[in-house]
Amino acid sequence: MLGLKTIGLVRGEQPVTLTPTLSDIKAWGMELRFVSRADYRLLRQYKNHRALPGLQSGQYWLTEGGAHALALKGVAELVNEIEIPYDTLCVPCGTGTTLAGIIDAAQEQVSVLGFAALKNAGFLLGEVEAMLSQSRNNWHINLGYHFGGFAKINAELSAFTDDFELKTGIPLEPVYTGKMMYAVYDLITKHYFKPGERIIALHTGGLQGKRH
């Protein structure tokens, strides 16, 4: 819409058939460049918008997951739009950027609970801590509901998301929000939350993850 030229660095070999998401962004004018998994991992070291080697004048580097200070400001606006009282705010997390922005913006008496969408995500604790404007002790990341790893699903998770959408009319995708909502429901049955605790689960979108 703004006429900005974009280049997408995509992890892995170019597939014979593009995924729906890649097809969309290519149709919208993005140039796709496929990089090896090893080279893609190296990209994560470039945190600043000017850090990527080879940037030309006028180019701006957006890190994986939008992990940038400006992104945290945008997420903070989301928290300020919640007008009902609550005790716990739940959010799915990949890079932890959304979670960090929410922690920064939430009132100190509110508990912020992140749910890792990937396996072996203990490193996120340090990543999120590093992004915070000041140290906070009212947050935690649950690592137990990744269902085998990033974008991994099983029959139980699929049945839950289908049933949730049928009952509520709210679509979930299995990569982020589906895992978080499954976790919230499961923790409720296990009496993790206090009686009467007011819980908000943040639906972060990502519904392209539902397409195949």
Side-chain angles (χ1 to χ4, degrees):
M1 291 176 65
L2 298 175
L4 299 175
K5 295 182 179 180
T6 55
I7 300 170
L9 303 183
V10 186
R11 183 180 63 177
E13 300 295 325
Q14 180 170 350
V16 176
T17 303
L18 295 179
T19 66
T21 297
L22 292 180
S23 295
D24 282 345
I25 59 179
K26 184 178 180 181
W28 294 330
M30 176 177 279
E31 176 189 340
L32 302 181
R33 296 180 184 177
F34 293 84
V35 299
S36 70
R37 293 178 181 272
D39 288 343
Y40 187 89
R41 282 194 294 270
L42 294 176
L43 294 175
R44 292 172 176 157
Q45 67 185 295
Y46 305 117
K47 304 291 187 181
N48 186 274
H49 70 281
R50 295 291 305 164
L52 186 70
L55 281 183
Q56 299 176 13
S57 177
Q59 289 186 327
Y60 192 103
W61 167 239
L62 293 176
T63 57
E64 183 183 41
H68 191 280
L70 290 175
L72 270 64
K73 293 177 67 175
V75 174
E77 294 175 359
L78 180 154
V79 175
N80 295 332
E81 292 173 357
I82 302 175
E83 298 179 344
I84 58 176
Y86 59 95
D87 304 300
T88 299
L89 188 55
C90 298
V91 58
C93 54
T95 63
T97 308
T98 299
L99 177 63
I102 287 173
I103 297 167
D104 255 349
Q107 299 293 321
E108 289 192 21
Q109 69 270 21
V110 169
S111 295
V112 182
L113 184 57
F115 293 92
L118 55 154
K119 192 176 181 180
N120 300 322
F123 69 93
L124 284 177
L125 295 166
E127 296 275 330
V128 170
E129 184 70 43
M131 284 189 277
L132 298 178
S133 62
Q134 59 181 332
S135 183
R136 303 283 291 272
N137 59 5
N138 62 334
W139 62 280
H140 173 67
I141 300 179
N142 189 304
L143 307 177
Y145 292 93
H146 54 74
F147 286 86
F150 185 72
K152 301 288 187 181
I153 62 175
N154 61 17
E156 186 176 11
L157 179 61
S158 294
F160 171 82
T161 56
D162 289 345
D163 184 65
F164 183 91
E165 183 169 350
L166 182 65
K167 290 178 177 177
T168 66
I170 300 172
L172 297 176
E173 45 72 38
V175 181
Y176 290 104
T177 57
K179 292 180 179 180
M180 174 196 65
M181 289 304 302
Y182 179 98
V184 170
Y185 275 58
D186 191 51
L187 291 177
I188 289 173
T189 64
K190 294 177 178 176
H191 307 290
Y192 174 88
F193 301 103
K194 299 175 182 176
E197 191 166 340
R198 299 165 297 182
I199 305 166
I200 285 184
L202 178 62
H203 195 311
T204 51
L207 292 175
Q208 73 273 14
K210 186 173 181 156
R211 300 187 298 173
H212 299 289

